[in-house]
Every structure is written in C-alpha cells, then in structure tokens.
Amino acid sequence: ALINAGLNAKEKAEEKPDDTLAQIERAPGTRERDHLYAMAASAAVKKNDPKAREFADKIEDSELKKNVRGFVDFILVSKFLEKTDWEKALRLARDGELSHLQRAWSCTEIAALLRSVAPEQAMDLIKEATAEAERVTVKSSEGAQAWIAIARRTAEVDPTRKWPSVLDAIKAVNNATGYTGEEKELTVSFRSRNNIQMMQVSAPGINLAALFETLADEDIYQAADMARSITNESARAIALLATASSAFEKKAGKPGANGPR
C-alpha cells in the first residue's frame, strides 16, 4: 500500500492535473511551466493516471525531470505490484528512472510473484536484484535493505540458497552506516521550488524482523546464530527478538504461526 507523506496536508488546486494544464497555458516562463508539469505528474500518479509520465517528460530542466520521473516511475511500479501485474512492473523496473535499491526491491517482489508459475524466471530476477544491490554504496543503509530483500525472497524462490543469501544480508547490515533494522517502507520524493512531494511505499520485504521470523520458522537455532553475528546493536536486538517471538508462537501453537508473512 502507498502511504502519502507529502508535506502539504491538503491538495492544492494547482496539484490537480486538469487545473494545472490550464495554468500551464498561462505560465510566464519555462521555470513556472516545469513546476506545474511536476505538480501535474505528482497528482496524476497518485490517481494511477498514465499521463503522469507524459507530464514528467515535458519538464525541460534535466535535473527536475530526472527527479520527477524517479518519483513517478517507482510509484507506478508499486501500483503494478499491488495489482500483481508483474509484466508492467518488470518493464518499468528495468527501464524506469529507479535507484539501485528500488530496482533491486522491485525485482525481488516480482520474483516472489513468479516463484510458482515461472521458477526459472524468478531466479533470474533474483540475480538481477543481486546485480543492482552490488551497485549500491557498501556502507549505506540502502545496501542493507537491498540485500535483506534479496535474502527474504531467495528463501521463497530457491530455499537451497537461503542461508548463503542471509549471510550476504548480514554482511551488508554490518557494513551499513545509519541502518536501524526497523525499515519497512521505501520513500520517494522530489522538490520543485518550495514544494516537496513525498510518498512512502510499503515494503515489508526489506524488514529485518520479518526476515528472521521467516528463518526461525524453519530453523530457530541457525536463525539465532545468524542474528547474534549482527554487529549493529539495534539490528541485532531486532533480529533476536523476532527469532524468539517466532519460537514462542510455535511453542504456543498459535494458528497461522507458520503461515505466509
């Protein structure tokens, strides 16, 4: 699900595509037109209007165009994933203006959709996600999130490679600066003039606790050993708590304790 985290509590009139287009005709210069096209693109993508990309492409300022395209493309990918329209999601994930983390996460989510119907293609997408994760700055929080997403979906797509992929994720977590372990959303934003547009995309696949809950369902002892190897104190505590929580659920025999997460 998408979470609107824009700084403006109410949509301004100029953020509605139809009203904005009327204003563009009266715009006194390129800078004003670019801003209005950016606002039109933002408003359109929130309504799942395909014209969002057209508006973004009309922006003349190259930096603003890139930022708005990034905003639009990633939100569209997330909407396609919500509808399980993996073909459109994949096309845009490969060709859109996405960051390495966004592309890696998108590929892992599409792989999860395909694991039953096209397992070989799902594994190819895990490989694509891995290539993108390798391009993320090693010490960044984004790198840790990308490798966690890969580990999470690898466990579903190819269980034989699960534990090695978890080791890769832990290595990324241990290298990351500013990583908390609590991340479960991906934020996308752009700024035009004094207006900041921001959206948060729900991304449970990057959540450390969810990964360790899944691992503990199969082998609690190995999951606990993995959790203890995390050097980041906050992330280690989260992983250990998730592992213990899963164990308690299984011991209590709660319905759905071993169900999909």
Side-chain angles (χ1 to χ4, degrees):
L2 292 173
I3 302 168
N4 190 342
L7 298 188
N8 294 329
K10 297 181 179 179
E11 290 285 342
K12 295 181 180 179
E14 69 174 18
E15 292 175 347
K16 297 177 182 178
D18 293 340
D19 291 346
T20 302
L21 293 177
Q23 291 181 44
I24 288 171
E25 295 180 359
R26 303 189 299 270
T30 301
R31 187 168 180 268
E32 179 66 17
R33 280 196 302 273
D34 282 353
H35 171 70
L36 293 170
Y37 274 128
M39 294 302 101
S42 174
V45 75
K46 291 172 187 176
K47 298 177 181 178
N48 207 22
D49 186 340
K51 290 182 180 179
R53 297 189 91 212
E54 295 179 21
F55 294 144
D57 285 340
K58 291 180 182 294
I59 298 171
E60 294 186 33
D61 182 279
S62 58
E63 187 67 20
L64 179 59
K65 178 189 287 188
K66 179 180 179 180
N67 293 338
V68 175
R69 274 292 300 272
F71 181 88
V72 166
D73 287 352
F74 186 58
I75 291 176
L76 286 176
V77 168
S78 67
K79 286 179 178 290
F80 290 141
L81 286 171
E82 283 184 358
K83 297 177 180 178
T84 66
D85 189 341
W86 68 267
E87 290 180 320
K88 288 182 179 178
L90 180 57
R91 191 178 308 120
L92 198 50
R94 286 173 171 165
D95 300 335
E97 193 69 55
L98 272 58
S99 70
H100 295 308
L101 167 58
Q102 291 168 348
R103 213 179 301 277
W105 174 80
S106 300
C107 286
T108 61
E109 293 301 297
I110 298 166
L113 292 176
L114 294 177
R115 67 182 184 272
S116 298
V117 295
E120 290 186 5
Q121 187 172 1
M123 274 311 307
D124 286 341
L125 285 166
I126 294 293
K127 291 176 183 176
E128 283 190 43
T130 300
E132 290 298 324
E134 289 172 345
R135 296 185 177 101
V136 180
T137 304
V138 172
K139 293 186 177 182
S140 69
S141 174
E142 287 80 7
Q145 294 171 55
W147 287 106
I148 288 169
I150 291 167
R152 180 86 184 279
R153 299 312 181 192
T154 297
E156 300 171 0
V157 173
D158 185 1
T160 65
R161 297 177 59 184
K162 173 173 58 181
W163 296 106
S165 71
V166 174
L167 286 174
D168 288 337
I170 290 174
K171 181 180 178 181
V173 168
N174 289 342
N175 285 332
T177 300
Y179 178 74
T180 69
E182 298 177 351
E183 293 82 356
K184 56 185 177 181
E185 296 165 347
L186 293 174
T187 301
V188 61
S189 65
F190 72 87
R191 178 169 186 161
S192 177
R193 290 168 53 175
N194 62 349
N195 189 299
I196 297 176
Q197 294 291 300
M198 182 182 299
M199 294 286 285
Q200 290 178 318
V201 175
S202 178
I206 67 171
N207 186 249
L208 185 66
L211 171 63
F212 275 86
E213 286 172 2
T214 301
L215 298 175
D217 280 348
E218 179 175 329
D219 189 331
I220 186 172
Y221 298 106
Q222 191 164 1
D225 285 342
M226 292 281 193
R228 283 191 286 268
S229 71
I230 298 175
T231 57
N232 178 311
E233 186 175 344
S234 170
R236 182 173 65 250
I238 288 171
L240 286 169
L241 182 60
T243 302
S245 175
S246 178
F248 287 136
E249 283 186 359
K250 291 180 74 173
K251 187 174 182 180
K254 291 183 180 179
N258 294 309
R261 298 178 184 276

